[in-house]
Amino acid sequence: MSELEALPLHLTANPARVVVRPFHLGWQANGSSPSRTQRIAEAVLAMDEAQVEQQLADVLRDFERRHWQTQRIFATRFEEIATLLGLDRAALSVARQHLIGAYFCHEYSYAAAALMNPSVVPHPDQTGIRPDSCRIVLSLRAVGEGHISSIAFREGIISAGRLDLAPEPPFATAADAHGAEDKAQDGPVSIFRHEDSTLSGTVIFPITAAQANGLEDLRLVKFVHDDGVAEWLGTYTAYNGRQIQSEMMRTRDFRQFDLVPMTGSAARNKGMALFPRKVNGCYMMIGRQDGENLYLITSDRLTHWDEGERFLTPCYPWELVQIGNCGAPIEIDEGWLLLTHGVGAMRKYAIGAVLLAKDDPTKVLARSHAPVLAASEDNREGYVPNVVYTCGAMRHGDQIFMPYGIADSSVAFAFVPISEMLAKMA
């Protein structure tokens, strides 16, 4: 569409973006036990004080200027280990405490390979924002060491045709669970943003066994419950290296995040996107259960989803291979605006749009016969060429603000007038 207004700003992979992560032995390999933790701690306890100070000095020389409050992180990790092992804190020097903590941390380059597949929602805090602007939260799929995907965030403000991103802090921090140090995490788990970290500097890494090889393609939505209370929900794919499952991130403040596995036959698939409110008294989700077509799935529970009803199949040349959703449906006056992705010849990905009836989202009122956005000569190269893809856009006034991934490598941004998008639909 010629009416699409692409912004010059791009976010790209950056190997210099590193974070200190807790090194949880129980999360790194099967069969880990407190004995391994104890062996490491006892080895540090056996060092003389001069050796402790020298070892800690070496660690700080290598890492202190690369990270935010490094010694405080070491101290926090020591407290967790000390609680687990029953160590006498008063009997240990600060240097020895910090060195023990350092052995249970590691540095990780979380966005060295790619930054892609974004989604966007209104920020929970709109304090001080002008009526014609909106503070936003961007989620980003960051791919780093071992090609493992994590979730990163950026905050910003949008106004008419303009995006201003908050500065990225020089140091990033990892959200972490509390307790269960050497117990392999499984099932639902709650993680917490560091109390002194900005959201733009927070990264969510895989924690459970089901997530071990990545948290992929978070589709965020601001969900309004029947009582008017808002909750920010996001569906994503958990990958353990062999199998996938759909999970849901739940938060009200982007400080505590609950990562909840979803159940039901539909949760075996990826690419699920939640409607921003109940429709006809039911929770609704868009999914692609067969890898080719789009389905509407209904449920009476947010985290349980069974088989749905197929309502959209490939039709036009640019989407003949397969179609899928590009994030949560967006409510506009005319109905539900659903961004889709289509795959055509030479595995070229493009973004389209569908208009669904408000009371019956299986009823397709109109769909774009040509892509809203497709890879062009200046944005087709990257880790996976010829791909443009988004995990969620949002309405802002009479426009759709759409962040999108380019070639599974970087992120760009565009505004699309709603009227022009509807005019292009058949």
Side-chain angles (χ1 to χ4, degrees), residues 322-346:
Q322 68 184 47
I323 56 174
N325 77 72
C326 276
I330 301 167
E331 189 166 11
I332 61 176
D333 294 341
E334 293 81 359
W336 295 105
L337 180 65
L338 175 69
L339 296 181
T340 64
H341 74 262
V343 182
M346 291 296 292

Side-chain angles (χ1 to χ4, degrees), residues 167-201:
E168 191 172 42
F171 305 116
T173 59
D176 193 18
H178 292 169
E181 175 60 38
D182 273 57
K183 181 179 182 296
Q185 299 288 323
D186 202 2
V189 61
S190 295
I191 57 174
F192 301 85
R193 182 173 120 203
H194 194 285
E195 60 183 6
D196 294 328
S197 178
T198 66
L199 183 56
S200 294

Side-chain angles (χ1 to χ4, degrees), residues 103-123:
Y103 273 99
F104 295 92
C105 294
H106 69 134
E107 184 180 75
Y108 183 86
S109 180
Y110 65 89
L115 202 64
M116 60 191 196
N117 297 0
S119 68
V120 62
V121 288
H123 197 290

Side-chain angles (χ1 to χ4, degrees), residues 117-329:
N117 297 0
S119 68
V120 62
V121 288
H123 197 290
D125 181 10
Q126 297 294 325
T127 304
I129 297 298
R130 298 182 326 196
D132 63 344
S133 300
C134 181
R135 183 175 287 120
I136 60 168
V137 175
L138 287 168
S139 74
L140 303 159
R141 178 177 170 184
V143 184
E145 177 185 336
H147 205 76
I148 293 174
S149 296
S150 56
I151 299 168
F153 299 97
R154 289 295 296 272
E155 296 164 288
I157 296 174
I158 56 173
S159 52
R162 180 184 175 95
L163 166 65
D164 294 296
L165 284 182
E168 191 172 42
F171 305 116
T173 59
D176 193 18
H178 292 169
E181 175 60 38
D182 273 57
K183 181 179 182 296
Q185 299 288 323
D186 202 2
V189 61
S190 295
I191 57 174
F192 301 85
R193 182 173 120 203
H194 194 285
E195 60 183 6
D196 294 328
S197 178
T198 66
L199 183 56
S200 294
T202 297
V203 186
I204 297 177
F205 290 99
I207 289 180
T208 69
Q211 303 166 355
N213 278 58
L215 305 172
E216 302 178 356
D217 298 345
L218 179 68
R219 287 163 162 81
L220 277 176
V221 65
K222 179 183 176 181
F223 186 90
V224 180
H225 292 276
D226 289 344
D227 60 3
V229 173
E231 184 179 11
W232 281 257
L233 306 176
T235 53
Y236 61 91
T237 302
Y239 178 53
N240 68 3
R242 300 175 306 279
Q243 297 175 316
I244 62 169
Q245 73 173 32
S246 286
E247 298 188 349
M248 180 176 288
M249 186 193 82
R250 307 184 67 165
T251 184
R252 293 185 185 271
D253 55 10
F254 287 91
R255 290 191 172 275
Q256 176 177 331
F257 306 86
D258 299 322
L259 308 181
V260 184
M262 292 194 289
T263 58
S265 56
R268 298 191 304 262
N269 304 295
K270 59 170 61 179
M272 302 177 71
L274 184 68
F275 281 69
R277 61 171 176 84
K278 282 184 175 180
V279 180
N280 299 326
C282 295
Y283 298 107
M284 288 191 177
M285 191 90 76
I286 301 291
R288 196 182 67 199
Q289 296 170 245
D290 57 8
E292 181 180 354
N293 306 289
L294 279 177
Y295 290 74
L296 180 73
I297 315 166
T298 61
S299 178
D300 60 357
R301 287 178 284 166
L302 269 172
T303 58
H304 182 89
W305 301 89
D306 286 318
E307 300 303 310
E309 178 182 354
R310 187 173 68 182
F311 73 94
L312 202 68
T313 61
C315 177
Y316 297 109
W318 60 275
E319 60 181 12
L320 280 184
V321 175
Q322 68 184 47
I323 56 174
N325 77 72
C326 276

Side-chain angles (χ1 to χ4, degrees), residues 306-426:
D306 286 318
E307 300 303 310
E309 178 182 354
R310 187 173 68 182
F311 73 94
L312 202 68
T313 61
C315 177
Y316 297 109
W318 60 275
E319 60 181 12
L320 280 184
V321 175
Q322 68 184 47
I323 56 174
N325 77 72
C326 276
I330 301 167
E331 189 166 11
I332 61 176
D333 294 341
E334 293 81 359
W336 295 105
L337 180 65
L338 175 69
L339 296 181
T340 64
H341 74 262
V343 182
M346 291 296 292
R347 198 189 57 170
K348 182 177 180 179
Y349 277 66
I351 297 173
V354 178
L355 184 66
L356 308 177
K358 277 197 181 183
D359 292 335
D360 180 8
T362 62
K363 183 178 180 181
V364 178
L365 302 179
R367 65 190 293 184
S368 56
H369 51 81
V372 173
L373 179 66
S376 59
E377 285 302 319
D378 60 350
N379 66 9
R380 63 187 297 176
E381 308 296 345
Y383 183 73
V384 181
N386 306 307
V387 172
V388 291
Y389 194 88
T390 182
C391 285
M394 63 175 279
R395 179 179 184 174
H396 181 64
D398 60 359
Q399 295 184 311
I400 298 297
F401 172 63
M402 180 173 62
Y404 59 96
I406 297 174
D408 278 8
S409 300
S410 62
V411 171
F413 307 90
F415 287 90
V416 188
I418 295 173
S419 60
E420 299 295 343
M421 189 179 292
L422 294 175
K424 295 292 185 178
M425 293 186 183

